[in-house]
Amino acid sequence: MAKLLIIDDERGIRNTLREILADEGHTVDVAENGTQGLDMARQTAYDLIYSDIKMPGMDGMEVLAQLKANGEGTNGETFESADTPVVMITGHGDVETAVQALKLGAYDFLLKPLDLNRILITTKNALESKTLKQETKQLRKRVAAKGPQMVGESAAIMRVREIINKVAPTEARVLITGPNGTGKEVVAHLIHQNSARANGPMVEVNCAAIPSELIESELFGHMKGSFTGAVKDRAGKFEQADGGTLFLDEIGDMSLAAQTKVLRALQESEITRVGSDKPVKVNVRVLAATNKDLAAEIAKGNFREDLFHRLNVIPIHVPALNDRIEDIPLLVNYFAEKICDEQGIAVKAFDDDAIQALQSKQWTGNIRQLRNVVERLIILAGPQITAADVELYA
């Protein structure tokens, strides 16, 4: 059963709640004031906390604010109570304050005199709510672990990781540059996953893979009958990404006409479908990536300078694999475990000479090429992969 804490300066209410909840099989601790209760919450991980609002000294509102902020306990140990449901206890005259407590993160409130059925129902619902939150967190961690990861400890990749950590929580636009196969899309996914938009959609557009005559329809959508083949209204990628992140990959290959409309969308936070004159508001964070030198493309007249400056708020350059060969051992081990798991076979080991042989090669295809080589070696070589295998298959 659950571990509960009751914070109330009235002995009668403390004892009543403790008896009711203990009869349900819960372990119940009590505190006679806010300071004592907060200290106990910092020392022990509770599943549910009841707190009176009006108490001498530290009142329930201050206790709630402290509980919803993570920090350190009195002995220096860390505590995490932000996800612990807190039920406030209040008199009839303090209902407005109790409602304010809900806005500050309280799960619910109980009115005095306490009602037995309400106590039992509230306790049951609050505990179920916490269990659901914990399960959701674990699920997200498992999903994130299977998603894109940035592997490496070189100075170059640590710098990229540092910028990601700083920019992800913001709304700043990011322009990701680097050669093909370096993992620019991984950077974009990590920014999205660590942003306030993580629960929203992550919509990707490969600008190089879409014919220039269709890119506007793909990005902004179209109305039925606006061109041959437009048999129904269709939302574009900007609308699909509303509330989330839009990743424009290979934006250096986008036509000038589409660039003009993207610039307008960024300036005004609205788009217009092809065949329509009605603007549609969109709330989208745009990340862009390219393997081209956009400064050179601007000089050639192939890319709008004003769009470049709109996108290039935070530049992130992903280094080529040849510039971070010290990361190859970590990358090889990561890919080997991942590929063997996908293939349903025992993990194969790369001996030191094999790793050195891989580090001595030129990786024009970068991370993508390395992954392909590791997969080839795992499939074709024996259980212990050697330098001879690398020379034969890489």
Side-chain angles (χ1 to χ4, degrees):
M1 298 303 284
K3 191 170 185 62
L4 280 57
L5 173 64
I6 299 164
I7 308 172
D8 201 301
D9 63 320
E10 295 185 41
R11 180 182 299 175
I13 291 179
R14 291 199 306 269
N15 292 340
T16 298
L17 269 176
R18 176 165 56 184
E19 290 172 7
I20 292 171
L21 298 172
D23 285 345
E24 293 296 307
H26 301 300
T27 301
V28 185
D29 292 338
V30 296
E32 62 185 26
N33 58 60
T35 302
Q36 181 187 15
L38 186 60
D39 187 58
M40 293 172 69
R42 288 172 169 174
Q43 303 287 344
T44 304
Y46 289 102
D47 298 301
L48 173 61
I49 297 173
Y50 279 93
S51 176
D52 192 12
I53 288 183
K54 282 197 171 181
M55 293 183 290
M58 181 184 291
D59 66 12
M61 298 296 281
E62 187 175 350
V63 170
L64 175 65
Q66 295 271 7
L67 290 172
K68 291 301 170 183
N70 298 336
E72 293 186 354
T74 53
N75 294 325
E77 76 285 2
T78 59
F79 70 99
E80 188 172 324
S81 57
D83 289 335
T84 302
V86 181
V87 178
M88 310 304 290
I89 303 169
T90 182
H92 284 280
D94 296 321
V95 172
E96 186 176 338
T97 305
V99 171
Q100 182 64 28
L102 296 180
K103 295 179 181 179
L104 294 176
Y107 176 79
D108 202 350
F109 64 88
L110 296 180
L111 287 173
K112 300 176 184 177
L114 300 177
D115 177 78
L116 174 60
N117 289 332
R118 180 70 191 278
I119 292 170
L120 297 179
I121 291 172
T122 300
T123 300
K124 176 177 177 293
N125 291 342
L127 293 174
E128 288 178 351
S129 172
K130 185 183 183 187
T131 300
L132 182 60
K133 283 185 178 180
Q134 289 174 332
E135 291 174 350
T136 302
K137 270 191 171 182
Q138 291 301 318
L139 179 61
R140 284 178 178 169
K141 286 181 180 179
R142 289 196 295 270
V143 170
K146 293 181 180 180
Q149 294 186 44
M150 180 172 292
V151 178
E153 295 179 356
S154 62
I157 213 66
M158 292 296 287
R159 175 59 180 160
V160 172
R161 192 177 286 121
E162 179 186 356
I163 298 174
I164 291 172
N165 291 338
K166 288 181 178 179
V167 73
T170 74
E171 287 290 300
R173 300 187 191 105
V174 180
L175 180 61
I176 309 163
T177 59
N180 282 333
T182 52
K184 297 187 292 295
E185 68 281 359
V186 172
V187 173
H189 276 273
L190 289 173
I191 291 172
H192 174 73
Q193 289 171 5
N194 292 281
S195 74
R197 297 174 177 264
N199 292 329
M202 169 82 173
V203 178
E204 300 180 48
V205 181
N206 187 333
C207 301
I210 303 172
S212 58
E213 64 271 17
L214 296 178
I215 187 70
E216 290 183 40
S217 170
E218 190 71 17
L219 290 175
F220 309 114
H222 60 253
M223 305 302 293
K224 179 180 177 181
S226 57
F227 56 86
T228 302
V231 296
K232 62 180 180 180
D233 294 350
R234 180 177 179 273
K237 300 299 186 183
F238 268 88
E239 287 182 77
Q240 294 173 30
D242 190 47
T245 302
L246 179 64
F247 176 43
L248 301 176
D249 198 9
E250 303 302 346
I251 196 168
D253 294 286
M254 181 180 288
S255 69
L256 285 169
Q259 290 176 34
T260 301
K261 288 198 171 184
V262 168
L263 178 64
R264 178 177 177 273
L266 297 181
Q267 289 173 332
E268 302 179 15
S269 296
E270 65 180 29
I271 57 93
T272 303
R273 292 184 181 184
V274 176
S276 172
D277 56 4
K278 182 181 178 181
V280 178
K281 284 290 183 182
V282 288
N283 174 18
V284 174
R285 181 185 191 180
V286 173
L287 309 177
T290 183
N291 64 345
K292 292 187 173 182
D293 180 352
L294 290 188
E297 294 299 308
I298 291 169
K300 295 176 186 176
N302 296 331
F303 201 84
R304 293 186 61 120
E305 185 173 8
D306 46 4
L307 177 58
F308 170 76
H309 291 302
R310 285 280 177 178
L311 296 170
N312 195 39
V313 178
I314 303 292
I316 298 180
H317 181 74
V318 186
L321 183 56
N322 289 330
D323 296 328
R324 46 177 292 220
I325 60 171
E326 61 267 46
D327 287 331
I328 286 179
L330 291 173
L331 287 162
V332 168
N333 289 335
Y334 171 75
F335 287 136
E337 290 182 7
K338 195 175 184 67
I339 292 165
C340 289
D341 181 61
E342 292 171 356
Q343 301 285 346
I345 60 177
V347 178
K348 294 189 176 184
F350 286 70
D351 66 23
D352 292 342
D353 290 340
I355 295 294
Q356 290 179 11
L358 289 169
Q359 287 180 301
S360 67
K361 289 189 169 295
Q362 287 297 303
W363 298 99
T364 55
N366 295 292
I367 306 296
R368 189 178 298 138
Q369 180 188 1
L370 177 63
R371 191 195 190 285
N372 291 343
V373 167
V374 171
E375 184 169 8
R376 190 182 310 142
L377 288 165
I378 286 172
I379 293 172
L380 300 178
Q384 180 78 13
I385 297 170
T386 64
D389 294 320
V390 173
E391 292 305 313
L392 185 59
Y393 299 118

